Amino acid sequence: MYFKFTFCPIILLLWASLSFAQNVNVVIHGAASIAKTDDNFVCVTLDWWPAEKCDYNQCPWGKAGILNLDLRYGELINAIKAFNPLRIKVGGSLQDNVVYKVGEVSSCPNFMKREDSLLGFSQGCLSMERWDQLNRFFNHTGVKLTFGLNALFGRNESQTEKGLWIGDWQPQNTRDFMQYTISKGYKVDSYEFGNQLSGSGMGEKVDAKQYGKDVIVLKNLVKELYTHPETQPKVLGPSGFYEEKWFNTFLEVSGQGIVDGLTHHIYNLGPGDDPNMMNKILDPSYLNQVSQTYKGVSDVVNKFRPQLGAWVSESGGALNGGSKDVSRTFAD
């Protein structure tokens, strides 16, 4: 999803104490509009997390992960249809640890808890049977699909710098996956390269120059396999937290015409175990600070390619599944 610098009315919500019975009159002057959202503003991420993903003495994911979500659930289907169209991003934290069971890949392991692996889980797998099921679901609900690709495939973790992954990205598994997707006629609006590997990363990272070189490889792969420009998926990246120097270098190396949407993530409330979470979420001045992050991304876009969109491809307030003391309350 992305934002436009055009204008329309915005409604301000006033909070009043529930402790007193009071009548409050709210007057909205719609003449001075200050912002407008694009038709693709609303976006939902289907994440890879298994039910065993737990933080802060809670395990909130249950059966909501991509591999075990009940795709026949009527209320879910109706909710998605109600947005019409809704952009769904298949991706998230573990996407750089997912292989696609197609081509030369014969085994298809399940995610298993393992402390010495990426984000505490072993490698997982997307079978083509599950991919078929997901696409039937997408076609039935009419969603616009963004698929997050594994950007660590073929790399090795550095022996000298913890969390840094080095070497060229190997595109063969992605090539086989795309060829299968094309052969089935599945519609993909965009491919997003990697997840939270930019800057300092979230425990794992890739150098900006290397990332820029690899996204060129991805763009060329998309052009090769999707031969008709009108059906060619967009290439998005880097899908991580904004750091000015890293983003600048990434776009300098990749150059113009490669990345169709510059994506970044916003979790401006910090980790979900912050004891000050309630104060943050009720403080407009604190929440407004995130506008500076978006301005930074927009400035980078305008510097390197004005027509390149600045996208927020993931946003959830608090890191690690939300805040156990706030996310299920009215304050959220």
Side-chain angles (χ1 to χ4, degrees):
M1 59 185 170
Y2 60 97
F3 300 79
K4 288 184 176 178
F5 296 107
T6 50
F7 302 95
C8 80
I10 185 170
I11 297 175
L12 302 180
L13 301 180
L14 300 181
W15 178 88
S17 171
L18 299 179
S19 302
F20 303 94
Q22 296 179 342
N23 292 323
V24 178
N25 293 323
V26 179
V27 179
I28 300 172
H29 297 285
S33 52
I34 63 172
K36 181 179 180 179
T37 59
D38 185 82
D39 290 340
N40 293 315
F41 177 71
V42 179
C43 163
V44 173
T45 294
L46 293 183
D47 210 303
W48 292 99
W49 288 121
E52 294 78 16
K53 166 64 174 173
C54 304
D55 292 287
Y56 322 129
N57 298 317
Q58 63 171 352
C59 305
W61 286 93
K63 298 294 183 180
I66 293 168
L67 297 179
N68 49 30
L69 179 67
D70 183 0
L71 301 176
R72 301 165 299 174
Y73 185 49
E75 290 187 22
L76 174 63
I77 292 171
N78 291 335
I80 292 173
K81 284 183 174 181
F83 281 99
N84 190 30
L86 176 68
R87 178 182 296 276
I88 284 186
K89 170 187 168 180
V90 173
S93 302
L94 290 179
Q95 79 179 48
D96 296 303
N97 213 20
V98 176
V99 296
Y100 319 122
K101 189 185 178 185
V102 62
E104 299 177 356
V105 175
S106 56
S107 62
C108 199
N110 292 322
F111 288 117
M112 302 291 291
K113 295 196 75 171
R114 202 169 80 187
E115 294 303 321
D116 61 341
S117 296
L118 178 66
L119 298 174
F121 284 88
S122 65
Q123 191 177 73
C125 169
L126 174 63
S127 69
M128 293 304 95
E129 291 79 10
R130 183 59 173 174
W131 184 228
D132 292 339
Q133 294 170 7
L134 286 164
N135 277 278
R136 285 194 291 270
F137 175 74
F138 298 147
N139 290 336
H140 180 56
T141 53
V143 305
K144 185 176 289 188
L145 177 64
T146 293
F147 188 89
L149 295 167
N150 180 346
L152 291 183
F153 196 90
R155 304 189 203 272
N156 297 302
E157 190 168 5
S158 170
Q159 299 298 309
T160 58
E161 184 175 348
K162 183 175 176 58
L164 176 66
W165 287 74
I166 57 177
D168 295 332
W169 174 64
Q170 299 300 315
Q172 187 59 52
N173 192 222
T174 292
R175 172 186 287 275
D176 294 336
F177 174 72
M178 285 185 180
Q179 287 177 326
Y180 180 89
T181 299
I182 293 168
S183 71
K184 289 287 188 174
Y186 298 152
K187 296 179 181 179
V188 177
D189 177 75
S190 49
Y191 288 107
E192 190 170 31
F193 190 55
N195 185 81
Q196 296 180 354
L197 299 173
S198 61
S200 302
M202 283 290 292
E204 315 297 327
K205 58 186 178 181
V206 174
D207 177 75
K209 291 182 179 179
Q210 181 67 59
Y211 216 78
K213 294 176 184 177
D214 294 328
V215 81
I216 294 173
V217 174
L218 172 59
K219 184 69 171 184
N220 290 334
L221 179 62
V222 170
K223 286 182 175 180
E224 175 193 341
L225 298 181
Y226 291 87
T227 55
H228 300 291
E230 62 273 13
T231 59
Q232 194 175 99
K234 302 177 187 68
V235 171
L236 311 176
S239 187
F241 293 109
Y242 172 66
E243 291 185 19
E244 182 179 1
K245 182 178 179 180
W246 195 99
F247 271 57
N248 272 281
T249 302
F250 166 65
L251 288 179
E252 285 173 354
V253 173
S254 61
Q256 293 191 12
I258 300 298
V259 179
D260 299 300
L262 188 68
T263 55
H264 69 294
H265 293 181
I266 293 177
Y267 288 93
N268 54 313
L269 294 174
D273 62 346
D274 186 347
N276 197 39
M277 185 65 67
M278 184 68 79
N279 292 329
K280 285 182 176 181
I281 205 170
L282 296 177
D283 183 356
S285 63
Y286 180 88
L287 299 177
N288 283 342
Q289 293 173 15
V290 76
S291 64
Q292 294 304 311
T293 301
Y294 189 78
K295 181 180 183 302
V297 178
S298 298
D299 287 346
V300 172
V301 167
N302 292 332
K303 177 180 178 181
F304 289 97
R305 185 182 170 195
Q307 67 269 34
L308 182 72
W311 296 36
V312 180
S313 66
E314 203 173 295
S315 176
L319 287 165
N320 291 335
S323 172
K324 67 184 182 69
D325 297 321
V326 177
S327 291
R328 297 184 182 184
T329 67
F330 178 75
D332 186 60

